[in-house]
Amino acid sequence: MERYKILEELGDGTCGSVFKAIHMETYEIVAVKKMKRKFYFWEECMNLREVKALRKMNHPNIIKLKEVVRENNELFFIFEYMEYNLYQIMRERERPFTEEEIRSFMSQVLQGLAHMHKNGYFHRDLKPENLLVTNDVLKIADFGLAREVSSLPPYTEYVSTRWYRAPEVLLQSSTYTPAIDMWAVGTILAELFTLSPIFPGESEIDQLYKICCVLGTPDWTTFPGATNVSRLMNICYSEILPANLSDVIPNASLEAIDLIMRLCSWDPLKRPTADQSLQHPFFHVGMWVPYPIRDPLELKLNNIAGAKPNLELNLWDFGAEPDDCFLGLTLAVKPSISNLEAVHDVSQGMEENILLCSDFKNHQEQSVLWSFISPDQNGIHPPVESSLSLSFSSIQHPSVVPQSSGFPITSLQPNILDCPLLAMSSPFQQSHYH
Ligand SMILES: Nc1ncnc2c1ncn2[C@@H]1O[C@H](COP(=O)(O)OP(=O)(O)OP(=O)(O)O)[C@@H](O)[C@H]1O
């Protein structure tokens, strides 16, 4: 570890303390996570969930583990350094994020998560503090609780952060799935709009109560494996009706509201996967939609008469009302088009007829090559005073372009921009429910 000079402490978590450090030869800035417990054998280190999960994953939206160093029975993870976490960014933010910014953060979270789930892992502790950001690039971090999808239930109880915890975990379901990550994504998406947590429970019961206040009472049969459904029954002695989510998150578009509703479904089976979420219309506003092929002169006359463009677009099923169509596609249409531009665009549109999906980045997927910087090919190093490390390098894969959308919006509600946040005072806030 003498190759690194510690610069400052970045965070002190449950499993370890994280420091900003500089590599003394390359001057690369890194984050060093020093684990709190001692490690006497390399085998123990390699069995850690964080190492097992991260060695399998190499993706632009997943934090890169560069090295593992064991020195004097202490274990250090060397990560690529990231400047901020999403919690800090939200805390320091003085005005709301634009939907464009939120879309960018969320598409990165979902791409990282899709990669993780495809590789057979789920994170289990997604929260704004674990989403690291540098120059608008977001990476998922803290795989301390990551679990293999194939590992057998029942899962032992674990301490994820309450506010982002899925209902099936709160109800101590014995079989939870990657859908618990999707619940967390929904709550983080909501928080990016309001800059405050949507379900800020003060105890586990209060957490369930706050969820009920927004989603309404669930169907009791949703959680067949839950060992603690009585928790819900205690809360829902009388039926709680769902709130209008547009009242709770007044600055969110209808597409965002729809996605949050789906992600925060009581029933884990109803939540979209990360891949499915990326296909949701919320991510499709960057599309260039061609004007219908019509006579340029006719369009010119229409524009002069002040008529709105007649959008005959069937990208998604927006319902029968023409206004619905218009609402859903506001960002796809140039808002103030001059007559001359209109004529020009129509003639261009006839030839081009292009769909451009600007929100998706052509990410280059990467895979890991493991190399031991030690003579021992088994990775087991008995001398306790030795300082040994694992390092990781990567190779490039061809870029991936996302598929087209097939996500219907079923519930379109008016977007009430000036509605106050729903006040959710809870009878379950006292500490004796902990
Ligand atoms: N690669 C990194 N670059 C910069 N900061 C980091 C990095 N990794 C972690 N941090 C900071 O350190 C904090 C704690 O890190 P991490 O969550 O990995 O530790 P932990 O012990 O598992 O914590 P927790 O108790 O939240 O599970 C993070 O919230 C983040 O702010």
Side-chain angles (χ1 to χ4, degrees):
M1 282 304 293
E2 64 277 3
R3 286 177 295 135
Y4 294 97
K5 183 179 171 206
I6 301 293
L7 300 175
E8 63 178 284
E9 184 169 311
L10 295 170
D12 188 26
T14 332
C15 326
S17 308
V18 183
F19 302 91
K20 182 177 181 178
I22 185 166
H23 191 290
M24 296 308 282
E25 285 148 27
T26 62
Y27 299 110
E28 187 186 5
I29 300 288
V30 292
V32 175
K33 183 167 177 177
K34 183 181 176 216
M35 301 304 278
K36 289 191 170 155
R37 56 166 276 226
K38 297 267 183 193
F39 286 84
Y40 297 100
F41 301 102
W42 262 111
E43 279 162 318
E44 290 178 274
C45 313
M46 303 322 296
N47 273 331
L48 280 178
R49 287 203 185 112
E50 194 152 9
V51 179
K52 276 168 76 177
L54 279 171
R55 67 184 287 190
K56 286 204 181 149
M57 281 172 270
N58 200 349
H59 186 273
N61 301 117
I62 295 179
I63 199 75
K64 205 164 275 77
L65 177 59
K66 298 163 84 69
E67 263 189 284
V68 179
V69 180
R70 192 173 70 89
E71 191 175 272
N72 300 328
N73 296 335
E74 288 187 314
L75 190 63
F76 302 88
F77 293 143
I78 318 295
F79 289 104
E80 63 181 312
Y81 173 73
M82 302 292 284
E83 276 180 69
Y84 308 100
N85 65 50
L86 206 49
Y87 168 73
Q88 294 165 331
I89 295 176
M90 285 197 278
R91 198 184 48 196
E92 281 154 30
R93 186 87 186 178
E94 279 164 5
R95 59 194 159 78
F97 290 113
T98 64
E99 201 150 305
E100 201 51 45
E101 291 170 304
I102 295 175
R103 217 183 324 279
S104 165
F105 284 141
M106 287 317 291
S107 76
Q108 295 183 71
V109 173
L110 287 166
Q111 288 178 66
L113 213 50
H115 184 81
M116 190 187 308
H117 291 169
K118 251 177 251 154
N119 276 276
Y121 279 87
F122 53 117
H123 189 284
R124 305 205 303 169
D125 194 18
L126 280 182
K127 58 181 172 181
E129 288 97 317
N130 288 339
L131 301 175
L132 306 182
V133 180
T134 295
N135 295 332
D136 298 330
V137 174
L138 180 148
K139 303 195 183 214
I140 304 172
D142 192 4
F143 284 69
L145 285 171
R147 179 170 274 282
E148 278 171 271
V149 176
S150 59
S151 60
L152 288 175
Y155 302 134
T156 48
E157 211 188 340
Y158 68 95
V159 192
S160 67
T161 311
R162 192 190 305 123
W163 296 346
Y164 309 93
R165 215 176 282 169
E168 62 270 30
V169 179
L170 292 163
L171 296 170
Q172 294 171 354
S173 183
S174 53
T175 51
Y176 46 79
T177 64
I180 65 169
D181 288 341
M182 303 318 299
W183 172 277
V185 170
T187 59
I188 295 168
L189 174 54
E191 188 168 338
L192 281 166
F193 279 100
T194 59
L195 300 180
S196 61
I198 182 169
F199 307 126
E202 293 182 15
S203 65
E204 290 214 336
I205 294 286
D206 186 47
Q207 187 66 33
L208 279 167
Y209 179 75
K210 291 218 159 87
I211 296 171
C212 285
C213 287
V214 176
L215 304 185
T217 322
D219 174 359
W220 300 108
T221 56
T222 306
F223 307 103
T227 51
N228 217 338
V229 178
S230 59
R231 279 183 168 175
L232 256 185
M233 291 174 173
N234 288 342
I235 301 168
C236 305
Y237 35 79
S238 62
E239 199 190 348
I240 303 173
L241 293 174
N244 182 348
L245 206 55
S246 284
D247 294 345
V248 183
I249 315 169
N251 54 334
S253 67
L254 300 169
E255 292 85 352
I257 295 286
D258 184 79
L259 181 56
I260 295 166
M261 293 275 281
R262 288 169 191 269
L263 289 166
C264 292
S265 299
W266 279 110
D267 186 348
L269 295 173
K270 294 205 174 121
R271 290 173 214 149
T273 64
D275 267 335
Q276 286 167 343
S277 303
L278 282 165
Q279 303 303 322
H280 189 275
F282 175 64
F283 292 105
H284 289 200
V285 286
M287 283 184 169
W288 167 252
V289 182
Y291 285 92
I293 299 171
R294 284 167 52 196
D295 178 32
L297 187 62
E298 182 199 337
L299 190 111
K300 188 177 179 183
L301 291 173
N302 277 345
N303 270 301
I304 291 167
K308 286 179 185 164
N310 177 19
L311 295 169
E312 294 161 8
L313 301 163
N314 299 316
L315 284 179
W316 315 295
D317 181 12
F318 279 97
E321 291 302 310
D323 280 350
D324 285 355
C325 262
F326 206 80
L327 267 177
L329 293 163
T330 41
L331 287 173
V333 184
K334 292 176 183 170
S336 58
I337 192 162
S338 75
N339 297 334
L340 274 176
E341 279 170 337
V343 174
H344 174 76
D345 281 352
V346 166
S347 55
Q348 289 270 309
M350 288 175 187
E351 289 155 25
E352 291 171 4
N353 204 26
I354 314 166
L355 283 182
L356 257 182
C357 195
S358 68
D359 282 310
F360 293 103
K361 296 179 176 63
N362 280 356
H363 275 312
Q364 293 187 312
E365 290 201 334
Q366 299 166 323
S367 65
V368 181
L369 286 178
W370 277 65
S371 59
F372 288 92
I373 307 183
S374 105
D376 184 345
Q377 290 302 302
N378 295 320
I380 302 167
H381 307 271
V384 288
E385 63 284 359
S386 64
S387 166
L388 298 168
S389 69
L390 283 169
S391 68
F392 312 82
S393 58
S394 62
I395 51 170
Q396 304 279 313
H397 278 250
S399 55
V400 179
V401 181
Q403 302 301 303
S404 62
S405 147
F407 230 112
I409 286 193
T410 49
S411 58
L412 281 177
Q413 306 145 339
N415 195 5
I416 308 158
L417 285 166
D418 49 2
C419 218
L421 274 179
L422 190 78
M424 284 190 296
S425 64
S426 149
F428 297 101
Q429 285 171 347
Q430 294 83 17
S431 54
H432 65 264
Y433 282 104
H434 275 282

